Amino acid sequence: MDVPEPREISDATLAEMVRTVEPTWDLREAVPVERGFCSVSRVVVDDGGASRTLYLKASPDGDPRSIPTEARLQAVLDARTSIPVPEVLGVVDDGDALPTPYYLMTALPGEAVAYERVCRLDDDALRRLARETGRYLAELHSVPAVDRFGLVRHDGPELTGERPSGDPRPLTVAGSREEWPSYLREYAARELDRLADSRFSDLASDLNRWVEKRLDALHGPFEPVLGRNDHGLHNLLVDPETGEITAVLDWGYTLAAPAAFDFEFAVYIYGGAFLAGLPDVPDRRPLVREAMLSGYRTAAPDRAEAVSTPVPLYGALAAARIMNDFRHLDVPDGCEAAVMDRIRADVRSLVDG
């Protein structure tokens, strides 16, 4: 994917962007924030004599990308679930004078920690994080919003500074498929094509054959639900000592998929298997799976059966994504070969098993 550099936005422009959402607010301070490829700023505004800290998220280059959908999704989740998402105060979808699209949202407490730090949480903290993840996924999967498979988008009216509705009905699915195996075959083909050009290209041919056999054996029924699809500590705010999740951020890649697909990706990522090649990092997928199931059952006991049985195909595709993005992992110096060997062995155990 072509990832642009986030563009710089002047304080004067940010002040105008804030006033478009709320004309009575004056900008006191603005600080750029490193968060993905979007242009994100922490802004402090004067709200009738009191200061208020907010965040403004804008397109990095004028391309809408998923920013308008992300704002609507957060509004839906804020209205219909207990998932801790920032409250969206206003959205501006288009305009010639300002760097649109963008939206303004509230700040939530918690610490932003690196993706790889999940491997360093102690068992109790990881268990809590996994249990809360399971509960939040159960709530997400229960929102009645989609009836096809694919990336979630919206088909509502354009906004010029207003708050988005919490109504899920304008949510739609781009390039949708009615049949999950058809969509998953295309999804898997993209990941495996990338794998052939990665540092794990030696696995591509065998994994492709293994995936094809599993795709042929898939049988439903399959129910599309809103899926997180972008799991990782980098998209959360947490208390790293306790594992409490205080904010779930960045919803731009939400995917309509079966609940089990979303669940298995979370188990793989939070289980830390991708860094288990380090001598002091265990593979804690069993701990994470058990805790996630516990949390899922508390929020949606009637849906838990759909995620209770592991699906190796989905776990393999989660591993493929890690391999494709391996260059972005922060691996300790001198340990890359060991980590890569462990990932290869993990995938080989599936392919040869």
Side-chain angles (χ1 to χ4, degrees):
M1 181 176 68
D2 181 23
V3 178
E5 287 291 327
R7 59 180 164 185
E8 294 184 6
I9 303 175
S10 70
D11 286 2
T13 300
L14 286 170
E16 185 61 29
M17 294 165 81
V18 168
R19 281 194 294 269
T20 300
V21 173
E22 176 48 67
T24 65
W25 287 344
D26 292 321
L27 183 68
R28 287 185 177 179
E29 179 184 349
V31 179
V33 177
E34 289 188 14
R35 180 142 208 104
F37 62 81
C38 290
S39 298
V40 181
S41 299
R42 183 174 65 252
V43 297
V44 179
V45 302
D46 186 328
D47 181 9
S51 64
R52 187 174 185 184
T53 300
L54 307 169
Y55 282 86
L56 191 150
K57 186 170 186 176
S59 166
D61 55 4
D63 188 311
R65 299 187 184 268
S66 55
I67 288 175
T69 298
E70 182 176 33
R72 270 83 171 178
L73 271 166
Q74 286 183 195
V76 169
L77 299 179
D78 188 33
R80 290 180 168 258
T81 75
S82 69
I83 301 171
V85 295
E87 179 186 359
V88 178
L89 304 175
V91 182
V92 179
D93 287 313
D94 196 11
D96 296 331
L98 297 173
T100 55
Y102 70 87
Y103 67 96
L104 190 66
M105 58 185 150
T106 58
L108 292 179
E111 183 178 337
V113 298
Y115 185 88
E116 298 84 0
R117 191 169 169 183
V118 71
C119 303
R120 305 300 181 187
L121 299 179
D122 66 37
D123 282 356
D124 288 342
L126 181 61
R127 190 174 289 111
R128 177 172 180 175
L129 182 140
R131 188 168 55 248
E132 292 184 0
T133 295
R135 178 161 58 89
Y136 294 147
L137 286 186
E139 293 189 50
L140 175 66
H141 297 166
S142 299
V143 174
V146 290
D147 58 5
R148 290 171 176 258
F149 301 100
L151 284 170
V152 176
R153 294 292 180 257
H154 84 96
D155 191 24
E158 284 198 348
L159 300 177
T160 57
E162 303 87 352
R163 290 174 181 256
S165 165
D167 185 353
R169 286 178 295 181
L171 296 179
T172 184
V173 181
S176 62
R177 290 275 192 168
E178 291 186 2
E179 300 297 327
W180 172 241
S182 298
Y183 181 84
L184 187 62
R185 192 175 297 276
E186 295 173 357
Y187 177 100
R190 290 192 297 271
E191 290 295 335
L192 293 172
D193 282 348
R194 291 179 64 206
L195 190 66
D197 294 325
S198 76
R199 298 173 66 178
F200 296 86
S201 58
D202 55 297
L203 290 173
S205 180
D206 289 343
L207 185 56
N208 188 60
R209 284 192 292 269
W210 183 90
V211 166
E212 280 295 325
K213 290 180 181 178
R214 268 63 191 174
L215 285 168
D216 290 341
L218 269 183
H219 57 86
F222 301 104
E223 176 193 2
V225 301
L226 292 177
R228 178 76 172 118
N229 192 43
D230 203 6
H231 298 286
L233 282 187
H234 64 305
N235 284 333
L236 304 176
L237 297 179
V238 301
D239 179 338
E241 298 303 317
T242 67
E244 178 189 6
I245 298 172
T246 57
V248 186
L249 309 173
D250 294 344
W251 290 88
Y253 297 101
T254 300
L255 180 72
F261 181 82
D262 198 30
F263 192 92
E264 290 299 320
F265 260 72
V267 169
Y268 186 87
I269 298 302
Y270 293 122
F274 60 91
L275 279 186
L278 300 179
D280 58 342
V281 174
D283 179 349
R284 292 186 286 180
R285 279 177 285 186
L287 180 156
V288 167
R289 178 180 297 282
E290 181 181 357
M292 281 182 56
L293 277 173
S294 174
Y296 204 100
R297 290 191 180 104
T298 64
D302 56 324
R303 305 184 65 89
E305 184 178 353
V307 300
S308 296
T309 302
V311 183
L313 173 59
Y314 300 159
L317 291 174
R321 181 182 291 182
I322 287 289
M323 290 188 286
N324 287 332
D325 294 333
F326 186 82
R327 66 190 182 281
H328 298 304
L329 292 181
D330 186 10
V331 179
D333 290 343
C335 296
E336 279 197 0
V339 172
M340 292 177 67
D341 286 347
R342 177 61 178 79
I343 295 174
R344 282 194 176 91
D346 194 33
V347 173
R348 281 287 177 198
S349 71
L350 284 176
V351 171
D352 297 338

